[in-house]
């Protein structure tokens, strides 16, 4: 049986509430507010990150990008542009390995801590949320996240845009099913995701939803998020 996560609200820097996990990922938040969190993994991407930023600036939408440390090192100006655009940057590890397959706890720690430090140094803002590559966890992962007070974010709505067989229309139809409190998982690198984005925004707005970052969504949690969430065993990195 899937366990509900009991939230522990803490006062973080800047006076904003944050959530620590209890060895359970967060896929959505039970909230009466008509909000949804769009999230994008694996960036910054040299071609598609600027395209997404342009769309979000035009539409007045703020989202969360879970960024890979090695990609931030290659494209620091894009990481800073995300922050300048009002978006949230989450920790997606340094090199995007499957953390559950790393036998050495020190290697797991390095992947998370190194990315945290690099993103903080590059943008001036420390990530407040984490997403595991392939949504895969282990006891070593949870230990590091507890130390850093980072909640692990999964998804309630997985578009599977990483799959070459998934079409633009399928991404659109899946993302448009999101409801209040849901976290939608997409990736920065697929062109089809970028192409679907304006219509995704339009359809979700037509349902009365507004867009928030993951940290903003977590701050609305009354007691506990929705349990479980999707997994992406076949997810790939760019």
């Amino acid at each position: 049986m899937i366990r509900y996560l009991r939230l522990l609200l803490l006062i973080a820097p800047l006076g904003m509430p944050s959530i620590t996990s209890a060895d359970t990922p967060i896929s959505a938040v039970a909230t009466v507010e008509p909000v949804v969190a769009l999230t994008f993994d694996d960036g910054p991407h040299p071609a598609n990150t600027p395209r997404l930023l342009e769309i979000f600036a035009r539409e007045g939408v703020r989202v969360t990008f879970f960024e890979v440390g090695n990609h931030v090192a290659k494209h620091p100006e894009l990481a800073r542009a995300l922050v300048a655009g009002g978006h949230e940057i989450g920790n997606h590890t340094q090199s995007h390995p499957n953390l559950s397959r790393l036998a050495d706890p020190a290697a797991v720690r390095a992947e998370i801590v190194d990315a945290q430090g690099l993103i903080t140094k590059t943008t001036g803002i420390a990530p407040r949320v984490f997403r595991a590559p392939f949504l895969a966890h282990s006891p070593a992962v949870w230990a590091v996240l507890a130390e850093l007070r980072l909640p692990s974010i999964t998804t309630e709505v997985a578009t599977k845009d990483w799959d070459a067989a998934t079409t633009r229309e399928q991404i659109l139809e899946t993302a448009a099913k999101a409801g209040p409190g849901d976290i939608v998982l997409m990736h920065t690198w697929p062109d089809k995701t970028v192409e679907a984005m304006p219509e995704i925004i339009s359809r979700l707005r037509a349902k009365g939803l507004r867009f928030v970052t993951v940290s903003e969504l977590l701050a609305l949690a009354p007691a506990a998020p929705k349990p479980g969430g999707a997994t992406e065993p076949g997810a790939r990195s760019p």
Side-chain angles (χ1 to χ4, degrees):
M1 180 180 296
I2 299 174
R3 294 183 294 123
Y4 278 87
L5 170 64
R6 180 172 297 177
L7 301 184
L8 175 61
L9 296 182
L10 300 171
I11 301 302
L14 306 180
M16 292 293 290
S18 65
I19 298 176
T20 60
S21 69
D23 295 6
T24 304
I26 299 170
S27 64
V29 166
T31 176
V32 297
E33 295 289 332
V35 295
V36 63
L38 301 182
T39 69
F40 299 82
D41 289 4
D42 296 357
H45 187 278
N48 286 349
T49 293
R51 294 173 65 193
L52 287 170
L53 283 173
E54 181 179 351
I55 293 170
F56 297 144
R58 183 174 67 245
E59 297 290 342
V61 169
R62 295 168 65 235
V63 306
T64 299
F65 291 89
F66 287 94
E67 304 291 70
V68 175
N70 286 345
H71 297 169
V72 170
K74 291 179 181 178
H75 307 288
E77 73 289 350
L78 291 180
R80 289 189 284 267
L82 297 178
V83 173
H87 304 289
E88 178 172 29
I89 294 184
N91 183 331
H92 198 42
T93 72
Q94 185 66 20
S95 66
H96 202 278
N98 186 323
L99 296 176
S100 68
R101 297 179 181 176
L102 296 183
D104 184 359
V108 172
R109 177 181 173 80
E111 281 289 338
I112 301 173
V113 172
D114 288 357
Q116 189 78 359
L118 177 62
I119 294 171
T120 302
K121 181 178 179 180
T122 301
T123 67
I125 298 178
R128 297 177 59 192
V129 290
F130 171 82
R131 176 173 281 152
F134 312 104
L135 307 184
H137 301 78
S138 69
V141 173
W142 292 117
V144 178
L145 296 184
E147 177 186 333
L148 298 180
R149 293 172 58 179
L150 287 175
S152 184
I153 308 302
T154 55
T155 181
E156 189 73 12
V157 180
T159 62
K160 295 186 179 180
D161 61 349
W162 49 265
D163 191 336
T166 302
T167 67
R168 173 191 175 278
E169 283 302 315
Q170 288 172 325
I171 295 169
L172 172 58
E173 292 298 327
T174 300
K177 293 177 181 178
D182 285 347
I183 297 170
V184 183
L185 193 160
M186 293 172 277
H187 292 78
T188 305
W189 49 269
D191 290 338
K192 56 193 176 184
T193 299
V194 180
E195 293 162 2
M197 197 51 50
E199 184 63 20
I200 289 172
I201 293 170
S202 178
R203 291 198 188 184
L204 291 175
R205 277 187 169 147
K207 296 169 67 172
L209 296 172
R210 57 186 176 86
F211 303 94
V212 295
T213 66
V214 169
S215 286
E216 289 171 336
L217 179 63
L218 297 183
L220 295 173
K226 297 177 184 178
T231 58
E232 293 192 307
R236 46 160 284 187
S237 61

